[in-house]
């Protein structure tokens, strides 16, 4: 059977046509790429707008600036040391940066040290407006550079002393006494807000006979001072300068710089609300200077008989503070709230244990007792343990007088 086939369509040869030439195709392809690039840019812009719209819907973006500033304050000021927290917050966005710059309390830490420049301190001082300040001047003796360090300390104090009226805390850590005195000579203005004073001289064994104590500090006007920590700084033992303290730390006093028993008792008498007492690394006093306190008060009116009452004293630490000084101080104190006591490198502490036992006749809620590298009468310790039923922790470190049967003996009350 014959089948009729229609003739096939002729094949067109495009190679010779004008509109399909190579330059034209290349131009068309380039035009298409331009359109695609334009569409990609448009897509990126739309994605950016979408992301911004999503961020604007987040709760953090709807916080008022006051609340955001409060969050920044908690996050930054809870850090013990100066950190990158504030800088990282300011890098998040322009709004956060503006909030941070306009929040004075975020800039209330003024630090000048081997790693913190004067320019940074000047910036913080300017941005802090009129809020209270925490001032730290810290230079390590390991990075001591002689006159350059002293010059930096003096320049820092020249920058900071006009703001003394709003200092809340002032910490000065320097290598030697000459640098401390050079700085404190500029602390003449009153400090009505000062609560914490800490002066630490690292090279405590070096004598300085050229600088007199810069007195009076802060014109003798620091009514809110509650915490005082002095290490190797001789302030002339002016009791009026540290009256009414809650925390007292004294340490690093050797030879003629160590306070006498009478000075120490006078300081304690001026701080009836004392809660923590630390005496550390002091040359001991002569036994003869303590004899007047050992005598019975009713036998001679010349001897002091007034017991110093410290009803809020909770923690006490005596670390290489001299056994004569320590036992004499305990003989003159009443401490009905004492909960933690440390006696370290104190020779024979039996007399101190006897004073603790005497205090237990009325009130002694002792919960933590640590005796390290000291001697004691084991029987006296056992009697004390029998009277302090509140004791939860007993630490005996590097002691030779504690036998293996110490805690097995029935306490004698």
């Amino acid at each position: 059977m014959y089948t009729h086939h229609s003739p096939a369509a002729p094949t067109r040869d495009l190679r010779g046509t004008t509109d399909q030439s190579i330059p034209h195709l290349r131009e068309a392809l380039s035009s298409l790429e331009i359109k695609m690039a334009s569409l990609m840019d448009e897509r990126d812009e739309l994605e950016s707008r979408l992301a911004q719209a999503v961020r604007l819907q987040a709760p953090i973006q709807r916080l008022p600036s006051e609340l955001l500033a409060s969050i920044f304050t908690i996050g930054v000021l809870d850090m013990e040391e100066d950190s990158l927290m504030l800088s990282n917050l300011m890098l998040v966005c322009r709004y956060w940066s503006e909030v941070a710059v306009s929040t004075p309390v975020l800039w209330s830490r003024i630090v000048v040290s081997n790693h913190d420049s004067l320019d940074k301190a000047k910036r913080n001082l300017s941005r802090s407006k009129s809020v209270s300040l925490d001032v730290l001047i810290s230079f390590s003796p390991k990075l001591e550079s002689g006159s350059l360090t002293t010059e930096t300390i003096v320049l820092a104090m020249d920058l900071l002393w006009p703001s003394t009226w709003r200092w809340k805390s002032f910490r000065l850590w320097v290598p030697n006494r000459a640098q401390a005195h050079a700085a404190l000579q500029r602390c003449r203005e009153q400090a009505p807000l000062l609560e914490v004073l800490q002066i630490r001289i690292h090279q405590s064994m070096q004598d300085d006979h050229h600088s007199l104590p810069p007195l009076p500090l802060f014109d003798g006007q620091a009514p809110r001072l509650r915490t005082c920590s002095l290490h190797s700084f001789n302030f002339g033992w002016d009791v009026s300068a540290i009256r009414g303290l809650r925390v007292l730390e004294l340490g690093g006093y050797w030879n003629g710089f160590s306070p006498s028993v009478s000075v120490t008792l006078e300081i304690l008498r001026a701080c009836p609300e004392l809660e923590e007492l630390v005496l550390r690394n002091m040359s001991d006093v002569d036994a003869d200077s303590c004899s007047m306190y050992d005598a019975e008060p009713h036998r001679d009116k010349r001897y002091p008989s007034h017991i110093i009452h410290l009803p809020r004293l909770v923690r006490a630490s005596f670390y290489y503070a001299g056994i004569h000084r320590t036992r004499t101080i305990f003989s003159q104190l009443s401490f009905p709230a004492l909960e933690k006591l440390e006696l370290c490198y104190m020779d024979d502490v039996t007399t101190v244990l006897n004073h603790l036992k005497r205090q237990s006749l009325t009130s002694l809620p002792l919960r933590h007792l640590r005796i390290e590298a000291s001697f004691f009468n084991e029987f006296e310790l056992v009697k004390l343990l029998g009277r302090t039923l509140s004791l939860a922790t007993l630490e005996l470190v590097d002691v030779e007088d504690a036998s293996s049967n110490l805690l097995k003996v029935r306490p004698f009350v």
Side-chain angles (χ1 to χ4, degrees), residues 25 30 109 125 157 163 184 186 249 269 276 345 395:
L25 292 174
S30 176
R109 282 181 178 171
L125 190 64
M157 292 303 301
S163 63
L184 295 172
R186 288 156 174 80
E249 298 180 6
R269 187 172 287 110
E276 182 175 352
Y345 297 90
E395 296 185 58

Side-chain angles (χ1 to χ4, degrees), residues 223-234:
R224 294 190 181 183
L225 187 62
R226 293 296 178 266
T227 300
C228 186
S229 177
L230 304 177
H231 186 273
S232 300
F233 172 66
N234 180 11

Side-chain angles (χ1 to χ4, degrees), residues 52 55 61 65 68 72 86-102:
Q52 184 178 2
R55 286 196 300 268
Q61 295 295 336
S65 59
L68 191 60
F72 290 172
L86 183 55
S87 300
N88 291 336
L89 289 176
M90 297 180 65
L91 292 176
V92 172
C93 64
R94 181 179 299 177
Y95 175 56
W96 281 29
S97 178
E98 293 174 353
V99 171
V101 171
S102 60

Side-chain angles (χ1 to χ4, degrees), residues 8-9 71 84 94 108 113 151 155 164 183 201 219 262-263 266 281 304 320 328 358 364 393 405:
I71 296 174
L84 297 177
R94 181 179 299 177
S108 61
S113 67
E151 181 181 358
L155 291 175
T164 305
I201 300 173
D219 197 28
S262 59
V263 166
E266 187 179 359
N281 295 333
Y320 201 85
T328 305
R358 180 200 67 187
L364 183 62
T393 304
N405 298 320

Side-chain angles (χ1 to χ4, degrees), residues 140-276:
S140 171
K142 297 180 181 180
L143 302 175
E144 169 69 9
S145 55
S147 59
L148 180 60
T149 298
T150 304
E151 181 181 358
T152 305
I153 293 172
V154 172
L155 291 175
M157 292 303 301
D158 288 340
L159 172 66
L160 295 172
W161 75 260
S163 63
T164 305
W165 62 274
R166 56 191 182 106
W167 289 2
K168 184 179 181 180
S169 66
F170 176 61
R171 294 177 173 87
L172 178 66
W173 304 342
V174 292
N176 57 61
R177 289 189 177 89
Q179 293 167 343
H181 290 184
L184 295 172
Q185 287 288 352
R186 288 156 174 80
C187 294
R188 297 290 185 177
E189 302 296 325
Q190 298 183 6
L193 302 181
L194 189 66
E195 297 180 1
V196 178
L197 174 63
Q198 189 176 78
I199 302 174
R200 177 176 295 274
I201 300 173
H202 297 290
Q203 298 170 358
S204 58
M205 300 300 292
Q206 291 187 354
D207 294 334
D208 179 14
H209 303 290
H210 304 285
S211 300
L212 297 176
L215 297 175
L217 289 176
F218 308 111
D219 197 28
Q221 299 296 322
R224 294 190 181 183
L225 187 62
R226 293 296 178 266
T227 300
C228 186
S229 177
L230 304 177
H231 186 273
S232 300
F233 172 66
N234 180 11
F235 61 100
W237 309 117
D238 183 11
V239 178
S240 62
I242 54 175
R243 184 178 300 275
L245 297 177
R246 300 290 178 85
V247 179
L248 174 62
E249 298 180 6
L250 298 176
Y253 295 97
W254 307 104
N255 302 325
F257 292 101
S258 62
S260 64
V261 171
S262 59
V263 166
T264 306
L265 292 176
E266 187 179 359
I267 294 175
L268 294 178
R269 187 172 287 110
C271 303
E273 298 183 353
L274 195 68
E275 299 175 2
E276 182 175 352

Side-chain angles (χ1 to χ4, degrees), residues 10-44:
T11 303
R12 299 181 60 187
D13 187 4
L14 302 177
R15 289 177 296 179
T17 60
T18 305
D19 57 345
Q20 297 298 327
S21 63
I22 291 177
H24 178 77
L25 292 174
R26 287 178 175 175
E27 182 180 356
L29 183 61
S30 176
S31 176
L32 183 59
E33 289 178 350
I34 294 174
K35 292 180 180 180
M36 291 176 60
S38 177
L39 290 174
M40 290 296 293
D41 292 339
E42 185 177 354
R43 177 184 177 182
D44 292 341

